[in-house]
């Protein structure tokens, strides 16, 4: 599939970002988390609740579209989209918002994730009641999970470990490569006052951390946190009146195929068939190349996902991501491509990726705590484990 | 919680043949009648050619380790007593991939391509889970 080169228009922008504090237990509901994050984003955009007529959110929120409308007193929601897949969702929220704005279905779209998943935040037996989702698995499981959970593959880190092991076998990827991802991203979090994990980390620290699911260790894993992030998007006409410099959405992509994440199907298909098509569509729509990107924010719930994303979106060749991250390749300020300059899911907070979008906006505005000088183009990727998704933001 | 059960599957129209086969200690998978591709997990149509027409075949029960992980605590209560344990993706002789525990081999001796053979855990009446043992 080739969409052909074209010059991307600067017709839709992110004009506001907002977030709550991030912590291992905020002590407020996901509804209040959403309210606080969205209100902060609207303040940042210089807009009011009454301006909002579009909503995009994840389907694993305890918040739903009608509840958010009640929460904020929204009187004219004309477009709303609820996306599946957690870490595979967040670039899709932007993509839906952009489509709605371009088509005139909405004029101001809010997208957000409110997520109370610190261990202390559990207040009941169901997955929508906070805490660790994998601990709340039902005694009977329908759907595709029944072909893995009863056998002992019960949590995302264990699925990731199976994929990481095969990447090591096929490409010579090492524990040092995984560790370098964690260490590089932590080095960025150290400078970010909002990050939950700010203690400096060395490769030795990584290797000394306990096994969770071999070949993955504790420091290959994101943190379990509470917090919320929101952004406000609008059209060029309004964006120029907003107080913050617009972060233009140059292009978006989604890529879904039949392999989707499940262990039974992941290795049955050649993922390149749709992943590469999605990547080509993104770069063609934007009229730029991976080499043009100043900073990249990629989903990093576990370290191997960063390696997959770098390959999937064309920053390096198939199987070459280990070498790409070696010797500080993804570290700010000197790496060839600074990745997750806020600390990502591994060290800032696990907001199901949404905090990656906010950091990309900060890079475009010039306000990151690991600012790439004169950053003009920021790349964001959802979970590479299918459905892949990406967003390109530009000044 | 030593006797905690693992989460159990839910047999339905698409997969009852598989789970009933497991209860008889037979490993049953689907094969497309049109393009002859095998598939697992059970589903109504062929992911390769899209055809609904299919037949069920009984697998040899032999396969090789494709990838694996050694799982450490914390786990669900059902797996706490056996952790750390090895679970992986097995490629069957018939081509499909299945998830199961890999037994009868030290965790540091597991390797890709290791031959394994199916064994069934009778968990509750009518439900048996296929796991794998080094051949």
């Amino acid at each position: 599939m080739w969409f052909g080169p074209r010059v991307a228009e600067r017709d839709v922008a992110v004009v506001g970002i907002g977030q709550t504090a991030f912590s291992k237990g905020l002590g407020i509901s996901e509804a209040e988390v959403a309210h606080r994050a969205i209100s902060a984003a609207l303040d940042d955009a210089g807009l009011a609740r009454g301006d909002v007529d579009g909503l995009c959110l994840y389907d694993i929120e305890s918040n739903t579209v009608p509840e958010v409308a009640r929460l904020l007193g929204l009187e004219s929601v004309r477009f709303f989209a609820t996306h599946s897949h957690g870490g595979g969702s967040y670039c899709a929220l932007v993509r839906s918002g952009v489509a709605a704005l371009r088509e005139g279905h909405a004029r101001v779209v809010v997208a957000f994730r409110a997520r109370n998943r610190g261990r202390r935040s559990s207040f009941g037996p169901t997955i929508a009641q906070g805490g660790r989702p994998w601990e709340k698995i039902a005694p009977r499981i329908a759907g595709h999970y029944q072909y893995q959970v009863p056998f002992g593959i019960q949590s995302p880190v264990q699925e990731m470990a199976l994929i990481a092991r095969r990447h090591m076998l096929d490409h010579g990827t090492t524990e040092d490569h995984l560790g370098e991802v964690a260490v590089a991203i932590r080095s960025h979090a150290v400078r970010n006052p909002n990050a939950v994990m700010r203690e400096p980390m060395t490769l030795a620290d990584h290797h000394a951390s306990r096994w969770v699911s071999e070949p993955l260790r504790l420091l290959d894993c994101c943190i379990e946190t509470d917090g919320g992030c929101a952004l406000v998007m609008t059209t060029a006409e309004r964006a120029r009146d907003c107080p913050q410099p617009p972060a233009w959405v140059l292009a978006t992509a989604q890529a879904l195929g039949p392999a989707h994440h499940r262990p039974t199907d992941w290795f049955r298909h050649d993922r390149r068939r749709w992943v590469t098509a999605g990547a080509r569509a993104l770069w063609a729509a934007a009229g730029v190349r991976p080499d043009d990107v100043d900073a990249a924010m990629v989903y990093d719930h576990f370290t191997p996902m960063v390696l997959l994303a770098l390959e999937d979106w064309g920053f390096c060749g198939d199987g070459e991501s280990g070498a790409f991250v070696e010797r500080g390749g993804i570290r700010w300020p000197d790496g060839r491509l600074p990745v997750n300059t806020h600390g990502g899911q591994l060290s800032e907070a696990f907001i199901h990726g949404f905090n990656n979008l906010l950091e990309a906006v900060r890079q475009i505005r010039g306000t990151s705590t690991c600012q790439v000088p004169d950053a003009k183009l920021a790349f964001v990727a959802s979970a590479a484990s299918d459905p892949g998704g990406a967003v390109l933001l530009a000044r | 919680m030593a006797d905690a059960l693992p989460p159990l599957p839910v047999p339905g129209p698409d997969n009852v043949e598989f789970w009933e086969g497991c209860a008889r200690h037979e490993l049953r998978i689907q094969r497309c009648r049109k393009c002859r591709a095998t598939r697992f997990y059970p589903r109504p149509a062929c992911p390769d050619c899209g055809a609904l027409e299919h037949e069920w075949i009984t697998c040899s029960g032999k396969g090789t380790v494709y990838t694996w992980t050694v799982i450490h605590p914390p786990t669900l209560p059902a797996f706490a007593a056996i952790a750390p344990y090895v679970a992986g993706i097995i490629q069957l002789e018939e081509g499909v991939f299945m998830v199961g525990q890999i037994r009868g081999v030290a965790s540091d001796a597991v390797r890709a391509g290791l031959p394994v053979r199916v064994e069934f855990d009778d968990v509750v009446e009518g439900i048996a889970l296929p796991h794998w043992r080094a051949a």
Side-chain angles (χ1 to χ4, degrees):
Chain A
M1 202 182 306
W2 178 250
F3 290 72
R6 70 183 185 91
V7 178
E9 291 177 40
R10 281 167 165 73
D11 56 355
V12 170
V14 179
V15 294
I17 54 175
Q19 66 193 49
T20 65
F22 304 137
S23 88
K24 294 187 176 180
L26 282 177
I28 57 176
S29 68
E30 282 187 358
E32 183 168 345
V33 169
H35 188 288
R36 287 175 181 273
I38 293 168
S39 298
L42 287 169
D43 285 349
D44 187 52
L47 295 169
R49 288 179 298 160
D51 295 316
V52 178
D53 56 4
L55 276 178
C56 297
L57 54 116
Y58 293 55
D59 74 348
I60 46 177
E61 287 265 337
S62 57
N63 299 301
T64 62
V65 168
E67 281 162 2
V68 173
R70 279 193 288 273
L71 179 73
L72 297 172
L74 304 180
E75 293 190 352
S76 59
V77 183
R78 298 187 296 142
F79 175 86
F80 44 91
T82 307
H83 280 277
S84 302
H85 302 298
S89 295
Y90 63 101
C91 290
L93 267 59
V94 173
R95 185 167 167 87
S96 288
V98 167
L101 291 161
R102 285 201 176 131
E103 290 296 313
H105 299 318
R107 289 185 295 183
V108 175
V109 175
V110 163
F112 74 95
R113 176 73 170 117
R115 187 177 195 281
N116 282 359
R117 290 294 184 271
R119 289 187 72 185
R120 292 178 224 154
S121 301
S122 178
F123 60 96
T126 72
I127 283 175
Q129 291 174 305
R132 296 163 146 182
W134 70 266
E135 286 184 331
K136 299 181 171 191
I137 288 167
R140 286 265 176 180
I141 299 185
H144 52 67
Y145 281 111
Q146 70 187 286
Y147 307 105
Q148 66 179 75
V149 175
F151 301 89
I153 298 291
Q154 64 222 283
S155 67
V157 66
Q158 296 157 2
E159 298 171 356
M160 191 81 253
L162 295 171
I163 293 168
R165 173 86 67 188
R166 195 65 218 185
H167 201 274
M168 290 171 152
L169 292 167
D170 289 341
H171 304 299
T173 309
T174 66
E175 288 175 26
D176 283 358
H177 293 140
L178 301 179
E180 173 59 25
V181 171
V183 169
I185 291 174
R186 176 63 63 85
S187 75
H188 305 153
V190 166
R191 299 172 55 87
N192 174 5
N194 296 317
V196 172
M197 303 295 277
R198 300 188 65 200
E199 287 290 308
M201 184 206 297
T202 65
L203 203 56
D205 294 333
H206 170 272
H207 288 1
S209 67
R210 68 175 173 83
W211 290 120
V212 174
S213 188
E214 295 177 40
L216 302 183
R217 300 174 179 279
L218 185 66
L219 292 180
D220 289 302
C221 302
C222 64
I223 39 184
E224 292 164 323
T225 48
D226 290 3
C229 289
L231 59 78
V232 182
M233 290 176 278
T234 193
T235 52
E237 190 182 21
R238 268 184 179 238
R240 296 188 207 287
D241 295 331
C242 292
Q244 299 284 357
W248 299 106
V249 183
L250 219 50
T252 65
Q254 277 181 275
L256 172 66
H260 186 279
H261 207 197
R262 298 279 72 80
T264 49
D265 289 71
W266 179 268
F267 296 108
R268 188 188 193 279
H269 306 273
D270 177 7
R271 294 174 60 249
R272 297 286 136 195
R273 283 165 55 190
W274 55 93
V275 170
T276 305
R280 287 174 68 186
L282 177 83
W283 301 116
V288 296
R289 297 151 32 88
D291 287 349
D292 298 324
V293 171
D294 295 301
M297 312 303 149
V298 305
Y299 194 61
D300 59 339
H301 63 340
F302 307 111
T303 53
M305 194 61 93
V306 174
L307 302 181
L308 296 184
L310 292 170
E311 296 174 13
D312 284 356
W313 296 99
F315 293 98
C316 62
D318 205 10
E320 295 172 0
S321 54
F324 188 92
V325 305
E326 276 175 352
R327 291 181 291 280
I330 60 170
R331 290 197 203 193
W332 180 89
D334 297 324
R336 69 178 98 177
L337 178 70
V339 169
N340 295 359
T341 46
H342 54 325
Q345 316 306 296
L346 288 166
S347 287
E348 188 194 47
F350 185 36
I351 314 297
H352 250 147
F354 211 88
N355 44 333
N356 290 4
L357 287 164
L358 271 56
E359 175 66 4
V361 172
R362 285 189 291 263
Q363 284 289 352
I364 295 303
R365 290 181 179 181
T367 60
S368 170
T369 49
C370 290
Q371 182 62 44
V372 175
D374 196 33
K376 294 184 178 68
L377 184 65
F379 169 87
V380 190
S382 307
S385 56
D386 227 5
V391 169
L392 278 168
L393 297 179
R395 214 159 65 187
Chain B
M1 296 294 278
D3 296 317
L5 288 174
L8 295 176
V10 181
D14 289 334
N15 66 13
V16 67
E17 182 81 21
F18 171 72
W19 288 117
E20 286 187 356
C22 287
R24 297 191 305 272
H25 292 197
E26 288 176 16
L27 204 52
R28 305 270 287 160
I29 63 167
Q30 293 162 299
R31 183 165 64 197
C32 178
R33 282 191 188 276
K34 203 166 171 187
C35 76
R36 311 300 290 168
T38 51
R39 62 181 185 258
F40 184 81
Y41 55 90
R43 64 199 75 181
C46 176
D48 290 349
C49 78
L52 286 164
E53 299 78 15
H54 64 273
E55 59 196 356
W56 287 86
I57 61 170
T58 301
C59 296
S60 68
K62 295 178 192 167
T64 54
V65 173
Y66 192 79
T67 181
W68 73 98
T69 176
V70 185
I71 294 172
H72 294 257
T75 66
L76 290 173
F79 308 109
I82 59 169
Y85 60 95
V86 184
I89 298 177
I90 308 303
Q91 187 164 29
L92 276 61
E93 278 189 342
E94 293 77 12
V96 300
F97 295 95
M98 281 190 192
V99 172
Q101 289 166 28
I102 299 164
R103 300 165 174 173
V105 55
S107 63
D108 59 1
V110 182
R111 56 183 170 78
L114 180 77
V116 289
R117 185 181 282 275
V118 73
E119 67 181 22
F120 291 88
D121 287 2
D122 295 304
V123 185
V124 294
E125 180 68 30
I127 297 287
L129 299 175
H131 289 289
W132 302 88
R133 184 164 293 276

